[in-house]
Amino acid sequence: AQSVTQLDSQVPVFEEAPVELRCNYSSSVSVYLFWYVQYPNQGLQLLLKYLSGSTLVKGINGFEAEFNKSQTSFHLRKPSVHISDTAEYFCAVIPNYGGSQGNLIFGKGTKLSVKP
Amino acid sequence: NAGVTQTPKFRILKIGQSMTLQCTQDMNHNYMYWYRQDPGMGLKLIYYSVGAGITDKGEVPNGYNVSRSTTEDFPLRLELAAPSQTSVYFCASTFLRQGVTYEQYFGPGTRLTVT
């Protein structure tokens, strides 16, 4: 079975400061890794994904994440946040094996609050 | 392309009532999913479908039913609504082939309140 842990439920940060949202996963098989963003009262939008290759993945809106296999982590970073980045962020995995049904297994989410 | 559409956007049900949440995608995706989102809990899989006529249970299927008569549509049925089904429901779809998964596309969600 797979599980995803987002270590911080809420992260307050000032505008233009850097931010890191932490994500760890547990799985007996290899996984694909994703970060989704949910703005208030909206659906989920894909920020970035790691399928294979370079462990540093760049996404939309200036976000990036680094896959660390030994630490089973996929932390999300942005060097300078904007007020518009205020949202809830979800880390998720899809197990990578022949019988996978492709469903996302989500963490509980991290609410990023950017203050002026 | 409209992507994934869901109706209604909001609904209030009384305990014991029934309703169907509609989901349609126009991307010719073979896999479709229903998730529910509860505050502080992330999203959990209710049901999924790998193609027309094929559905299966996810993590939290109790109290729900689904059908997939066409590639495009994947309705979610609540037969006897209970307060525990108060949640936001998201439909998603993707194209999955030979174990390689592509991006899941989400609908805008249906906010359901059962009182």
Side-chain angles (χ1 to χ4, degrees):
Chain A
Q2 293 73 35
S3 65
V4 177
T5 302
Q6 291 183 243
L7 295 157
D8 305 296
S9 59
Q10 298 189 46
V11 173
V13 64
F14 286 106
E15 193 173 18
E16 297 183 4
V19 70
E20 178 180 80
L21 306 184
R22 297 178 294 167
C23 173
N24 287 88
Y25 69 93
S26 173
S27 177
S28 57
V29 300
S30 63
V31 295
Y32 300 125
L33 297 131
F34 303 81
W35 275 97
Y36 282 84
V37 60
Q38 184 180 36
Y39 298 103
N41 299 312
Q42 294 189 27
L44 278 76
Q45 180 182 3
L46 181 68
L47 269 181
L48 49 79
K49 62 187 175 188
Y50 174 79
L51 303 183
S52 65
S54 172
T55 57
L56 182 63
V57 180
K58 295 190 183 297
I60 62 172
N61 301 341
F63 284 94
E64 64 180 31
E66 185 155 21
F67 169 52
N68 187 319
K69 187 175 182 179
S70 62
Q71 298 190 3
T72 59
S73 67
F74 191 52
H75 301 331
L76 181 70
R77 302 185 182 98
K78 187 169 183 177
S80 176
V81 294
H82 192 267
I83 298 285
S84 59
D85 293 323
T86 295
E88 190 161 18
Y89 293 79
F90 292 95
C91 181
V93 303
I94 295 178
N96 178 17
Y97 66 98
S100 171
Q101 301 308 322
N103 58 288
L104 289 156
I105 298 161
F106 285 89
K108 293 184 177 182
T110 297
K111 290 186 178 178
L112 176 64
S113 175
V114 182
K115 305 178 187 303
Chain B
N1 284 353
V4 180
T5 57
Q6 292 183 238
T7 57
K9 291 186 179 178
F10 305 94
R11 183 73 185 267
I12 298 175
L13 280 183
K14 294 187 184 303
I15 295 171
Q17 286 185 321
S18 301
M19 78 163 293
T20 298
L21 283 66
Q22 301 292 344
C23 174
T24 300
Q25 54 92 9
D26 62 359
M27 297 172 282
N28 203 31
H29 286 168
N30 52 353
Y31 280 61
M32 296 186 73
Y33 309 88
W34 275 105
Y35 298 90
R36 60 175 287 172
Q37 181 183 23
D38 300 303
M41 298 303 294
L43 284 78
K44 295 187 184 298
L45 182 67
I46 305 172
Y47 269 94
Y48 67 94
S49 168
V50 305
I54 307 171
T55 63
D56 206 347
K57 297 177 181 179
E59 185 182 354
V60 289
N62 292 344
Y64 307 95
N65 274 303
V66 293
S67 60
R68 182 106 180 263
S69 56
T70 66
T71 300
E72 294 78 21
D73 300 306
F74 190 40
L76 178 71
R77 178 84 177 157
L78 284 72
E79 290 294 348
L80 292 170
S84 61
Q85 293 177 305
T86 293
S87 189
V88 181
Y89 292 85
F90 288 100
C91 180
S93 71
T94 191
F95 188 78
L96 182 62
R97 181 180 62 193
Q98 294 181 340
V100 178
T101 186
Y102 298 84
E103 176 184 347
Q104 282 193 27
Y105 292 81
F106 283 79
T110 294
R111 189 175 297 271
L112 176 67
T113 302
V114 182
T115 61

